[in-house]
Amino acid sequence: MALTSRERVRRAAVKLFATKGFHGTGIRDLAQAAKLSSASLYHYMGTKEQLLAEIMLDCLQRLLDAAARELDGVDDPVERIGRLVTLHVTTHARQPNETRVVDNHVDVLSPRARRAVVDVRDTYEQLWSDAIDDGLRSGVFATTQPAATRIALLEMCNGVARWYSPRGPLTLEQLAAHYVQLAHRALGVPDMRR
Amino acid sequence: MALTSRERVRRAAVKLFATKGFHGTGIRDLAQAAKLSSASLYHYMGTKEQLLAEIMLDCLQRLLDAAARELDGVDDPVERIGRLVTLHVTTHARQPNETRVVDNHVDVLSPRARRAVVDVRDTYEQLWSDAIDDGLRSGVFATTQPAATRIALLEMCNGVARWYSPRGPLTLEQLAAHYVQLAHRALGVPDMRR
Amino acid sequence: MALTSRERVRRAAVKLFATKGFHGTGIRDLAQAAKLSSASLYHYMGTKEQLLAEIMLDCLQRLLDAAARELDGVDDPVERIGRLVTLHVTTHARQPNETRVVDNHVDVLSPRARRAVVDVRDTYEQLWSDAIDDGLRSGVFATTQPAATRIALLEMCNGVARWYSPRGPLTLEQLAAHYVQLAHRALGVPDMRR
Amino acid sequence: MALTSRERVRRAAVKLFATKGFHGTGIRDLAQAAKLSSASLYHYMGTKEQLLAEIMLDCLQRLLDAAARELDGVDDPVERIGRLVTLHVTTHARQPNETRVVDNHVDVLSPRARRAVVDVRDTYEQLWSDAIDDGLRSGVFATTQPAATRIALLEMCNGVARWYSPRGPLTLEQLAAHYVQLAHRALGVPDMRR
DNA sequence: CATGAATGAGCATTCATTCAT
DNA sequence: TATGAATGAATGCTCATTCAT
C-alpha cells in the first residue's frame, strides 16, 4: 500500500538524519528521498529543524509511553530494569535510525526545542532512576554509584543502534536477554536471582 | 607560552567538530576560533575533511600506543581489561572533544580515509577481544556473548565523553574504578577477585 | 518579445566568454548579464564548463548542418569551396561571439567534452577536405599542399570573427565574395574560372 | 647551463599563458613551473599583468626589429611580402607559445598596456600595408581589397602557431615556402613571377 | 496538491599579492 | 635571494526557504 507523502517525508528524514546527520542532509536530499520537489516538502513540514524536533519528540514520547505500559503493575526492581532494558534495546535494534536521530541530535536543536526534548528524555530516564533506587533500597541491587551506573547502562544500550544487525548471529530476543544480563550484573544482582 | 598557529587550528577543529559536528562547523567558524583568516587556515591543513581525518587518526593512534604501553608485561586478563577500561575511560573523560570526534565521525570520511581510521580502530579493539578471549579461556570471565559484551563495554565507556565532568561528584579515579567494576561484573568476574 | 531566462543565460555566456574568455568570466558576471542571481543561474545550466560545452557543440552542429544543406546537390568543387567559404565567413561575421567561443575554447574543455566537440569539428572540416581533394583530382585546383592549404584557409576565415564589422567599408556580401576569391586563388583556380 | 630565475619565470609564463590562458594560469602554477615560491616570483616581475605585457611587448618588438632587418635594402614588393611572410610564419612555427600569447591576449591588457602593444603591432603591420600598396601601385599585385587581404593573410599566418609541428610532414622551409605561395596568390601575383 | 522559478546568504576553497624574516 | 605566513577579495557552487502558478 502506498505511503502518504507526509509519511514519505518523515521516513526520508529519519533515514538521512541518522546516516548523514542533520547538517549533512540537504533539503534536496530529503526531497529526492521522499520523491517530492523540494518546494513540495514544505507542505508537510515547517523548517528542517522543526521536522527534526518533531521526529525526536515523537520517538521519545512513544518510547516513554511504551515504557510506562511495560512497567504497569510491575513492582520487582529486577523485573522493572529487565523490562526497561528489553524495551530500550529492542527499540534501538528495531529502529536504529529513529533512535540514532534521537540520541545524537540534541545539540542541534534550538534552546526551545531542546528543552522540550530533554524534558521528555528526563521523564523517561527517571523511570530507570526510580527502578534502580528501589532495587538499592530493597537490597537487590548493589552499587555505590547508581547515577553513573544508570548513565553507563543507557549509553551501553543506546550503542545497540550503532551496531546490531538482525542478519548477525544474535536474534532480537538473544540480544535483549544478553543486555538484561549485563544490566543485572552491572547492578550487582546476585546470581541466584538470574 | 604561545601556541603555534598550526596547533590553534587543530584545537579549534577538535572543539568545534566535537560540539557542532563536522558539517555543522564552517571553515569560518574554524578560522575565527583559531584566530586566523579563513584563507590562512589553508596553510595548516589540506581540506576540511583531511583535517578531520588527521585528527581522528592521530587520536586513535595515540590511544592504541598508550594501550600497548599499558598492557606491556601484563598477563592477567582481569588486570588487562582493567587497564584497558581505565585508559579508555580516562582518555574519554580527559579529552572528551577528541574522543567525540573520533567516535562520531567515521561516517563522514571518504572511503579511503575511513579505511585508514577503521583499521587503527580495529587493531585497538583487538586488544579488548584478546583480553576477553584469554579470560574466558582461563575461566576467570564468564559470558556466553563475548563479542556483544565487548561492543557493549566499548559503547558504555565511549559514553563517558558525553557526560562526565571533572566538576561533578566523581573524581577521575573514582570514575575509572567504577567503570572497571562495571566491566568486571559484565564479564562475570567472581566477586572475590575484585 | 521577452526572452526566456534560459536564453538570456545563453546569450550572456556567449558574449562574455567571447570577449573576456571562459576563465575571465565569473559566474557573477554571467548572472548580472543575464539579469538573474548567481544562484538562479544554476536552474538553467549545469556547471560553467557544461554551459560552455553546450554552446560549443550547438554552434558547431548548426554550422555543420548548414554546410550540409549548402553542399546538397552541388558537384563542382569550385562551387563547393565557394559555398563553404561563404557560409563560414558569413557565420563568423554575423555571429562573431559564438564563433570566437567555438574557435578559442577547445583547450578549456575537459577531455570528454573536448572529444565531443572535436568530433563534430572534424566532421565539418572533412567537408573542406573532400571538396579540395575533388578539385585536385579533377585538375581544377592546383596546390602541392592541400592539407596545409585547408588549414590556412580555415584560419583565415576564422579570423573574420576577430575583425569584421558590418559598420566597416565591406558589406557581408562583399566580404564573402572577397574571401571566396582568396580561397580560389589559394587553391590555384585559373582566373578564367572566376 | 642553468637558467637564471628570471628567465625561468619568463619561460614558465610563456608556456602557461599560451596553453592555459592568462586567466587560466594562477600565480601558483607559475611559481611551480619556475621552481620558485609564489612570493619569490615577485622578485622577478611586477604584477601578473605586467609580466604578460612585458612578454607581449618584447616579442612584438623582436618581430618588428627582425622584419626591419629582413626588409632592409629590399625594394621589390613581391620579395618584401615574401620575406615578411617567411619571417612571420617561421616565427610562429618556432615560437608558437610566444606568438599565441601575443596574438590572443590583447583584450586582457589594461588600456595603457594595450595601447603600447597595439602601437608596436600597428607599426609592424604597416610594413605589410606598405609592401602591399607598393605592389599594387607597381601593378604586380592585383586585388580590390588590399586591407581585407592584409588582415586575412596575417590571420592565416598567425594560425601556424596553432597547428604546425616540426614533427609533421612539412619542414620549416617547406611551410614558409607554401605560405609565401599562398600570399602571392592571394595578392594576385602573376604565375610567371613565382 | 505540487512545483518551477527564484534568491540572499552561505559554503569550502583559491586568488593575487604583501611582508617580515 | 628567497620564502613561510598571512590575508581581503573573489572563486564556482549549494544552502534553506519562498511564492506565483
Side-chain angles (χ1 to χ4, degrees):
Chain A
M1 189 211 93
L3 291 172
T4 64
S5 292
R6 184 168 215 91
E7 192 55 28
R8 287 210 314 279
V9 171
R10 172 68 161 265
R11 297 197 179 194
V14 166
K15 174 181 280 183
L16 289 169
F17 289 166
T19 52
K20 308 177 57 175
F22 178 76
H23 289 303
T25 301
I27 227 71
R28 282 157 185 77
D29 300 326
L30 238 34
Q32 186 172 31
K35 288 173 187 175
L36 244 44
S37 76
S38 59
S40 297
L41 230 48
Y42 285 85
H43 280 277
Y44 304 103
M45 54 178 250
T47 65
K48 200 176 78 155
E49 201 211 310
Q50 285 167 0
L51 175 60
L52 172 66
E54 277 164 30
I55 290 170
M56 291 178 72
L57 270 178
D58 219 66
C59 290
L60 266 174
Q61 191 62 53
R62 267 187 287 132
L63 181 63
L64 176 58
D65 294 346
R69 253 181 276 121
E70 283 291 328
L71 296 184
D72 187 52
V74 179
D75 283 332
D76 177 22
V78 175
E79 174 72 7
R80 274 158 74 198
I81 277 294
R83 292 197 178 205
L84 285 172
V85 168
T86 299
L87 173 67
H88 200 96
V89 164
T90 304
T91 303
H92 278 69
R94 280 203 177 112
Q95 307 169 5
N97 287 336
E98 276 85 348
T99 48
R100 285 163 80 177
V101 171
V102 171
D103 294 337
N104 300 322
H105 287 83
V106 175
D107 292 343
V108 171
L109 296 173
S110 65
R112 170 195 285 280
R114 176 156 50 236
R115 182 72 281 157
V117 165
V118 169
D119 280 349
V120 183
R121 198 185 59 182
D122 285 350
T123 304
Y124 170 73
E125 295 195 4
Q126 191 60 45
L127 301 177
W128 287 61
S129 293
D130 292 345
I132 291 171
D133 289 347
D134 280 3
L136 286 171
R137 228 176 286 120
S138 72
V140 72
F141 291 162
T143 179
T144 56
Q145 307 288 356
T149 305
R150 184 194 74 246
I151 305 180
L153 288 179
L154 279 164
E155 293 285 355
M156 183 180 86
C157 294
N158 288 342
V160 166
R162 273 171 233 132
W163 67 266
Y164 177 76
S165 162
R167 276 182 291 285
L170 290 176
T171 64
L172 248 184
E173 289 71 28
Q174 292 173 315
L175 176 80
H178 181 57
Y179 269 75
V180 170
Q181 182 190 56
L182 289 172
H184 282 162
R185 283 180 169 182
L187 289 163
V189 176
D191 261 355
M192 64 196 67
R193 285 289 309 253
R194 300 178 211 141
Chain B
M1 187 210 89
L3 289 173
T4 62
S5 292
R6 185 168 213 94
E7 191 56 27
R8 288 209 314 279
V9 171
R10 171 68 162 264
R11 296 195 182 196
V14 166
K15 174 182 279 183
L16 290 169
F17 288 166
T19 53
K20 309 176 57 175
F22 178 77
H23 290 303
T25 301
I27 229 69
R28 284 156 187 79
D29 300 326
L30 237 34
Q32 188 170 33
K35 290 175 187 176
L36 242 40
S37 75
S38 60
S40 297
L41 231 48
Y42 286 85
H43 276 281
Y44 303 104
M45 53 178 250
T47 63
K48 200 175 76 154
E49 201 212 309
Q50 283 167 1
L51 176 61
L52 171 66
E54 277 164 30
I55 289 171
M56 293 179 72
L57 269 178
D58 220 64
C59 291
L60 267 175
Q61 191 62 53
R62 267 185 289 132
L63 180 64
L64 176 57
D65 293 346
R69 253 181 276 120
E70 282 293 328
L71 296 184
D72 188 49
V74 179
D75 282 333
D76 178 22
V78 174
E79 173 72 8
R80 274 158 74 196
I81 278 293
R83 294 197 175 204
L84 285 172
V85 168
T86 299
L87 172 66
H88 200 97
V89 164
T90 303
T91 301
H92 278 68
R94 281 204 175 109
Q95 306 169 5
N97 287 338
E98 276 86 347
T99 47
R100 284 164 81 177
V101 171
V102 171
D103 293 339
N104 299 323
H105 287 83
V106 174
D107 292 343
V108 171
L109 297 172
S110 64
R112 172 196 283 280
R114 175 156 52 237
R115 184 81 298 222
V117 165
V118 169
D119 280 350
V120 183
R121 197 185 60 181
D122 285 351
T123 304
Y124 170 73
E125 295 195 3
Q126 190 61 44
L127 300 177
W128 288 61
S129 294
D130 291 345
I132 292 172
D133 289 347
D134 280 3
L136 286 171
R137 229 176 286 119
S138 73
V140 71
F141 291 163
T143 179
T144 56
Q145 306 289 356
T149 304
R150 184 192 74 244
I151 304 180
L153 289 178
L154 279 164
E155 293 285 355
M156 184 180 87
C157 294
N158 288 341
V160 165
R162 271 171 234 134
W163 67 266
Y164 177 76
S165 162
R167 278 181 292 286
L170 290 177
T171 64
L172 248 185
E173 288 72 27
Q174 292 173 315
L175 176 80
H178 181 57
Y179 270 75
V180 170
Q181 183 191 56
L182 289 172
H184 283 162
R185 283 180 168 182
L187 289 163
V189 177
D191 261 354
M192 63 195 68
R193 282 292 308 255
R194 300 180 210 138
Chain C
M1 190 210 90
L3 289 174
T4 63
S5 292
R6 186 167 213 95
E7 190 57 27
R8 287 210 314 279
V9 171
R10 172 68 163 265
R11 295 196 184 196
V14 166
K15 175 183 280 182
L16 289 169
F17 289 166
T19 53
K20 309 177 59 175
F22 178 77
H23 289 303
T25 301
I27 230 69
R28 284 158 185 80
D29 300 327
L30 237 34
Q32 187 171 31
K35 288 173 187 178
L36 243 39
S37 74
S38 61
S40 297
L41 229 49
Y42 286 86
H43 276 282
Y44 303 104
M45 52 178 252
T47 63
K48 199 175 76 153
E49 201 212 310
Q50 284 168 359
L51 176 61
L52 171 66
E54 277 164 29
I55 291 171
M56 291 179 73
L57 269 178
D58 220 66
C59 290
L60 267 174
Q61 191 62 52
R62 267 186 287 132
L63 180 63
L64 176 58
D65 293 346
R69 253 180 277 119
E70 283 292 327
L71 296 184
D72 187 53
V74 178
D75 283 332
D76 177 23
V78 174
E79 174 71 9
R80 275 159 73 196
I81 278 293
R83 292 196 176 205
L84 284 172
V85 168
T86 298
L87 172 67
H88 200 97
V89 164
T90 304
T91 302
H92 278 68
R94 281 205 175 109
Q95 307 170 4
N97 287 337
E98 276 85 348
T99 47
R100 285 164 80 176
V101 170
V102 171
D103 293 338
N104 300 323
H105 287 82
V106 174
D107 291 343
V108 171
L109 297 172
S110 65
R112 173 195 283 279
R114 175 155 53 236
R115 182 72 283 159
V117 164
V118 169
D119 280 350
V120 183
R121 196 185 61 180
D122 285 351
T123 304
Y124 170 72
E125 295 196 3
Q126 189 62 43
L127 300 177
W128 287 61
S129 294
D130 291 345
I132 292 172
D133 289 346
D134 280 2
L136 286 171
R137 229 176 286 119
S138 73
V140 71
F141 291 163
T143 179
T144 56
Q145 307 289 355
T149 304
R150 185 194 74 246
I151 305 180
L153 288 178
L154 279 164
E155 293 285 354
M156 183 180 89
C157 293
N158 288 342
V160 165
R162 270 170 236 134
W163 68 266
Y164 177 76
S165 162
R167 276 181 292 286
L170 289 176
T171 65
L172 248 185
E173 288 72 26
Q174 292 172 316
L175 176 80
H178 181 56
Y179 270 75
V180 169
Q181 182 191 57
L182 289 172
H184 283 161
R185 283 180 169 181
L187 288 163
V189 176
D191 261 355
M192 64 195 68
R193 283 289 310 253
R194 301 179 209 140
Chain D
M1 190 209 89
L3 289 173
T4 63
S5 292
R6 184 167 215 93
E7 190 56 27
R8 287 210 313 279
V9 171
R10 172 68 162 265
R11 294 195 184 197
V14 166
K15 174 183 279 182
L16 289 170
F17 289 166
T19 52
K20 308 177 59 177
F22 178 76
H23 289 303
T25 301
I27 228 72
R28 281 158 186 78
D29 299 327
L30 238 34
Q32 186 172 30
K35 288 173 185 174
L36 245 44
S37 76
S38 59
S40 298
L41 229 50
Y42 285 85
H43 280 280
Y44 304 103
M45 54 179 251
T47 64
K48 199 175 81 156
E49 202 211 311
Q50 284 167 0
L51 175 61
L52 171 65
E54 276 163 29
I55 290 171
M56 291 178 73
L57 269 178
D58 220 65
C59 290
L60 266 175
Q61 191 62 52
R62 267 186 288 131
L63 181 63
L64 176 57
D65 293 346
R69 253 180 278 119
E70 283 292 327
L71 297 184
D72 187 52
V74 179
D75 282 333
D76 177 23
V78 175
E79 174 71 9
R80 275 158 73 196
I81 278 293
R83 292 197 176 204
L84 285 172
V85 168
T86 298
L87 172 66
H88 200 96
V89 163
T90 304
T91 302
H92 278 69
R94 281 204 175 110
Q95 306 170 5
N97 287 337
E98 277 86 346
T99 48
R100 285 163 80 176
V101 171
V102 171
D103 293 338
N104 299 323
H105 287 82
V106 174
D107 291 343
V108 170
L109 297 172
S110 66
R112 172 195 285 279
R114 175 155 52 236
R115 183 78 296 198
V117 164
V118 169
D119 280 349
V120 183
R121 196 184 63 181
D122 284 351
T123 304
Y124 171 72
E125 294 195 4
Q126 191 61 44
L127 300 177
W128 288 60
S129 293
D130 291 346
I132 292 172
D133 288 347
D134 280 2
L136 286 171
R137 229 175 286 119
S138 72
V140 71
F141 291 162
T143 180
T144 55
Q145 307 289 355
T149 304
R150 184 193 74 246
I151 304 180
L153 288 179
L154 279 164
E155 293 285 356
M156 183 181 87
C157 293
N158 288 342
V160 165
R162 271 171 235 133
W163 66 267
Y164 177 75
S165 162
R167 275 183 292 286
L170 289 177
T171 65
L172 249 185
E173 288 73 26
Q174 291 173 316
L175 175 81
H178 180 57
Y179 270 74
V180 169
Q181 182 191 56
L182 289 172
H184 283 160
R185 282 180 170 182
L187 288 164
V189 177
D191 261 353
M192 65 194 68
R193 284 292 308 256
R194 302 178 211 140

